[in-house]
């Protein structure tokens, strides 16, 4: 039988490897502008390279123009934390093949405004 200290060391090594493996997955990073905040469905629509004049338009109208090829709905967010027009970075693992894509973010970072 192994001493308790040996078992504890192996348990710590296993836990460390598990944490490192879980954190080492490469996230996809999507940079864009919040166009729509959907409070009812707890999601936000983020569009890459969105022009300021398109912020006031309905999201369906904007997407139907085919001017924007990169757009994602970020699901399961506290939508009250985000405002239309904010520049953000969305970190996620997987998305579906729809347009706009549907993702669940691992992390969302608001871009800092330079003064």
């Amino acid at each position: 039988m192994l001493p308790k200290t040996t078992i504890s060391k192996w348990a710590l090594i296993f836990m460390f490897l598990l944490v490192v493996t879980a954190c080492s997955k490469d996230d996809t990073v999507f940079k864009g502008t919040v166009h729509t905040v959907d409070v009812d469905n707890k999601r936000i629509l983020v569009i890459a390279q969105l022009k300021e004049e398109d912020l006031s338009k309905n999201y369906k109208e904007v997407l139907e123009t085919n001017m924007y090829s990169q757009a994602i709905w970020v699901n399961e967010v506290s939508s009250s934390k985000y405002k239309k027009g904010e520049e953000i970075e969305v970190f996620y693992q997987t998305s579906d093949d729809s347009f706009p894509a549907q993702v669940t973010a691992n992390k969302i970072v608001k871009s800092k405004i330079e003064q």
Side-chain angles (χ1 to χ4, degrees), residues 60-100:
K60 290 180 183 178
E61 179 184 349
V62 171
L63 296 176
E64 287 173 358
T65 66
N66 295 322
M67 287 180 54
Y68 303 103
S69 61
Q70 297 179 319
I72 60 173
W73 279 112
V74 183
N75 298 311
E76 301 176 25
V77 297
S78 177
S79 50
S80 62
K81 290 183 178 182
Y82 304 98
K83 296 176 188 166
K84 183 180 255 197
E86 280 185 314
E87 297 289 327
I88 63 172
E89 293 180 7
V90 180
F91 296 76
Y92 65 93
Q93 290 289 321
T94 59
S95 68
D96 67 5
D97 291 333
S98 65
F99 182 77

